[in-house]
Amino acid sequence: MGRQYREIPQKMIDFIRDQKLFFVATAAADGRVNLSPKGMDSLRVLDERRLVWLNVTGSGNETAAHVREFPRMTLMFCAFEGSPMILRLYGTPRVIHPYDTEWETLYPLFKPLSGARQIFDLTVELVQTSCGMGVPFYDYAGEREQLTAWAEKKGEAGIRDYWREKNRHSLDGKATHVLEPEN
């Protein structure tokens, strides 16, 4: 039923590109494990070993803190229609902030999103599929617009204030460097 690959086969790249939802899991060496749902057309497959996803402002910033300290990440995709499948990508991520030089190269890959705070660049080391027969069917009804509207209303200065107040540290007190480079 399940298979493992060292790179993403083309049929799975096509599957990933069709997904409206994916999940991201990270953990530091100690503290809490983070698991977050992602959407908003925020993922791009660059090739069979590399993908990037745009992270927008949220109530926490666990992923950035975890990646900085212990760079490992799992992305999971589920087939909610068609043939059942769960696809996991395991790899080594890098976090790229708007102040990093790579931002100028990678950010144009995405539709501009208010509140964009990081891009995660994942080098894929293992691809694993599993049956997914226990995943129910779901119909996609559309995107939620509340987060974008909230970020647009706050404006750039308001978003930076929010980062300062809510996004500089993880739940476990680990620095995210959302506002300033690591020294």
Side-chain angles (χ1 to χ4, degrees), residues 147-164:
L147 184 58
T148 300
W150 172 85
E152 288 172 355
K153 184 177 178 182
K154 278 214 166 284
E156 190 174 324
I159 290 292
R160 291 184 67 76
D161 288 343
Y162 186 86
W163 290 352
R164 192 170 289 106

Side-chain angles (χ1 to χ4, degrees), residues 35-165:
L35 175 62
S36 297
K38 302 294 177 185
M40 303 177 75
D41 188 31
S42 61
L43 184 97
R44 300 291 181 269
V45 178
L46 302 182
D47 62 39
E48 64 278 350
R49 297 286 314 270
R50 184 175 174 218
L51 57 84
V52 292
W53 63 274
L54 179 66
N55 191 27
V56 296
T57 300
S59 55
N61 199 3
E62 302 305 294
T63 305
H66 291 170
V67 165
R68 193 180 140 269
E69 181 180 303
F70 202 68
R72 62 182 176 161
M73 179 180 287
T74 302
L75 300 185
M76 185 180 78
F77 305 84
C78 299
F80 295 112
E81 59 186 21
S83 298
M85 179 173 64
I86 298 170
L87 173 64
R88 290 179 183 90
L89 307 177
Y90 301 89
T92 302
R94 294 181 309 115
V95 60
I96 298 157
H97 293 93
Y99 54 75
D100 292 321
T101 57
E102 289 175 281
W103 183 268
E104 297 302 319
T105 303
L106 295 173
Y107 187 63
L109 297 172
F110 303 95
K111 175 184 165 193
L113 282 171
S114 295
R117 67 179 172 192
Q118 292 125 353
I119 295 171
F120 290 93
D121 186 342
L122 181 68
T123 300
V124 175
E125 296 156 359
L126 178 65
V127 178
Q128 180 187 35
T129 62
S130 55
C131 71
M133 290 182 220
V135 175
F137 287 107
Y138 276 98
D139 292 324
Y140 175 72
E143 295 290 328
R144 296 178 193 260
E145 301 298 328
Q146 291 97 326
L147 184 58
T148 300
W150 172 85
E152 288 172 355
K153 184 177 178 182
K154 278 214 166 284
E156 190 174 324
I159 290 292
R160 291 184 67 76
D161 288 343
Y162 186 86
W163 290 352
R164 192 170 289 106
E165 181 184 342

Side-chain angles (χ1 to χ4, degrees), residues 5-54:
Y5 307 88
R6 290 288 165 208
E7 56 189 38
I8 311 168
Q10 184 60 49
K11 68 180 180 178
M12 290 177 201
I13 291 173
D14 296 340
F15 171 77
I16 291 168
R17 287 182 175 146
D18 288 342
Q19 299 312 297
K20 304 293 186 194
L21 171 70
F22 64 100
F23 300 87
V24 176
T26 57
D30 62 345
R32 292 166 178 83
V33 173
N34 187 58
L35 175 62
S36 297
K38 302 294 177 185
M40 303 177 75
D41 188 31
S42 61
L43 184 97
R44 300 291 181 269
V45 178
L46 302 182
D47 62 39
E48 64 278 350
R49 297 286 314 270
R50 184 175 174 218
L51 57 84
V52 292
W53 63 274
L54 179 66

